[in-house]
Amino acid sequence: MLILTRKSGEAINIGDAIKVIVIEIKGNAVKIGIEAPRTLSVYRSELYAMVQEQNREAVSPDITLAECMGYFLKREEKK
Amino acid sequence: MKIHTNRFGSIEVEEKDFIYFKRPILGFEHLTRFVLLVQKDHNPFLWLQSVDNPAVAFVVVNPRVIKDDYNPRVFENDLDFLGIKNDEDIALLSIVTIRTRPLRITANLRAPLLINAENRMASQVLLEDDDYPLQYNIMEKIAEPHGQSFMEQSTCMRLGKHLETVPQC
C-alpha cells in the first residue's frame, strides 16, 4: 500500500481523473473531498461491505415467502 | 432466447426484457444482466433472476409497497448516470432477505436498486441517509393484502417479464 502524508488543504491525484483532497483534520476525524468521474461510485468502505454481505445473504433463499406465510398462519392459529 | 435457471427451469425471454446493471449488485460484480419475473396474479414480490448465472435470483419488492412513505433522496449523479430524465422512469426495488431459524424477513431500504424504466439500465444505490435500514423488518407485511391497482400502475410492472407460470416468491 502506498502511504503518503498530507496536510489539511493538500491533495492527491490518482490517475488523470481522480483527486482526493484533505479538507479538514479534527481530532481523530479527517474530512475528505473526492473528485471522481460519475462512472465511479464512491462509498464509505464499511457501508459497502455491509451491503455486499446483505446481498449475499439474500441471494437464492431456500424458503419462499409463500412457505413463510404458511408457517405464519400456523403460528397465528396456535395463539 | 432460452435461459436456464435453477429455480424455474428453462424460461423463454427476449433481450428486450433484460435489465442491465451498469453498476453491480454489490458482491455480484460479474453479473450484469437480469430479468424481473412477474407472476400472473401480480404479487408485489418479484423474482430478479440472473441471465448469466442460473443459481442467482433475488426476491425483490417495490419499497413503497412495504413502506408507503419511502422517499429517499437519490443523488442526481445516480439519475444522470443511468440517463433518467423523467420521474416516471424511476423504478426502485428493494432486495428481500428471508432467514430461517428463526424466521425473519427483511427488505433492504438502504441500498435499493435504481432502474431507468426507459432504457432498462440499473444500479444498486447506497443511500447516505441512515433513516433507511439495511434490514427493515417486513415479517408482518407479507401477509397483508396489497392494492392490485397500485401494482398494475407501478413502474416495476412495466419492467417485468410477465409469465404465466412463475413459482411464487
Side-chain angles (χ1 to χ4, degrees), chain B residues 94-108:
Chain B
S94 264
I95 297 179
V96 175
T97 307
I98 307 167
R99 302 167 196 75
T100 48
R101 276 171 277 177
L103 183 62
R104 193 163 163 256
I105 306 164
T106 60
N108 182 347

Side-chain angles (χ1 to χ4, degrees), chain A residues 38-39 41 43-44 48 50-52 54-61 63-66 68-69 71-72, chain B residues 7 23 25-27 29 45 55 57-58 77 81 95-97 99-100 103 124 126 128 134-135 142 168-169:
Chain A
R38 313 199 279 248
T39 47
S41 47
Y43 296 124
R44 284 177 293 133
Y48 190 93
M50 271 156 52
V51 173
Q52 246 181 359
Q54 191 62 50
N55 289 341
R56 291 198 184 115
E57 202 182 357
V59 75
S60 307
I63 177 172
T64 63
L65 287 175
C68 292
M69 253 172 68
Y71 172 89
F72 210 65
Chain B
R7 197 175 287 267
R23 262 192 215 131
I25 297 177
L26 301 188
E29 281 73 13
F45 293 92
F58 293 95
N77 252 354
F81 178 66
I95 297 179
V96 175
T97 307
R99 302 167 196 75
T100 48
L103 183 62
Q124 186 165 34
L126 276 59
E128 283 301 318
L134 266 171
Q135 299 184 355
I142 61 161
Q168 275 207 308
C169 282

Side-chain angles (χ1 to χ4, degrees), chain B residues 18-86:
Chain B
F18 291 178
I19 292 169
Y20 298 89
F21 279 81
K22 272 185 95 177
R23 262 192 215 131
I25 297 177
L26 301 188
F28 298 85
E29 281 73 13
H30 52 298
L31 300 177
T32 53
R33 305 186 298 171
F34 283 80
V35 280
L36 187 65
L37 304 177
V38 177
Q39 297 159 47
K40 212 174 135 202
D41 66 353
H42 285 188
N43 180 331
F45 293 92
L46 314 170
W47 287 107
L48 186 66
Q49 168 71 49
S50 163
V51 170
D52 304 298
N53 183 339
V56 171
F58 293 95
V59 173
V60 294
V61 65
N62 177 342
R64 294 237 168 89
V65 170
I66 48 172
K67 192 173 192 322
D68 52 17
D69 62 350
Y70 186 71
N71 191 19
R73 222 195 65 176
V74 176
F75 291 114
E76 213 147 290
N77 252 354
D78 292 317
L79 297 177
D80 280 358
F81 178 66
L82 297 177
I84 297 176
K85 293 185 191 80
N86 307 307

Side-chain angles (χ1 to χ4, degrees), chain B residues 8 11-14 16-19 34-47 120 148-167:
Chain B
F8 317 109
I11 51 176
E12 185 66 39
V13 294
E14 291 166 60
K16 68 171 179 56
D17 300 320
F18 291 178
I19 292 169
F34 283 80
V35 280
L36 187 65
L37 304 177
V38 177
Q39 297 159 47
K40 212 174 135 202
D41 66 353
H42 285 188
N43 180 331
F45 293 92
L46 314 170
W47 287 107
R120 312 181 73 84
Q148 189 95 326
S149 60
F150 173 82
M151 284 315 293
E152 277 165 13
Q153 285 159 19
S154 131
T155 315
C156 304
M157 289 296 160
R158 239 168 87 195
L159 282 165
K161 170 72 179 171
H162 294 249
L163 295 176
E164 285 291 313
T165 50
V166 181

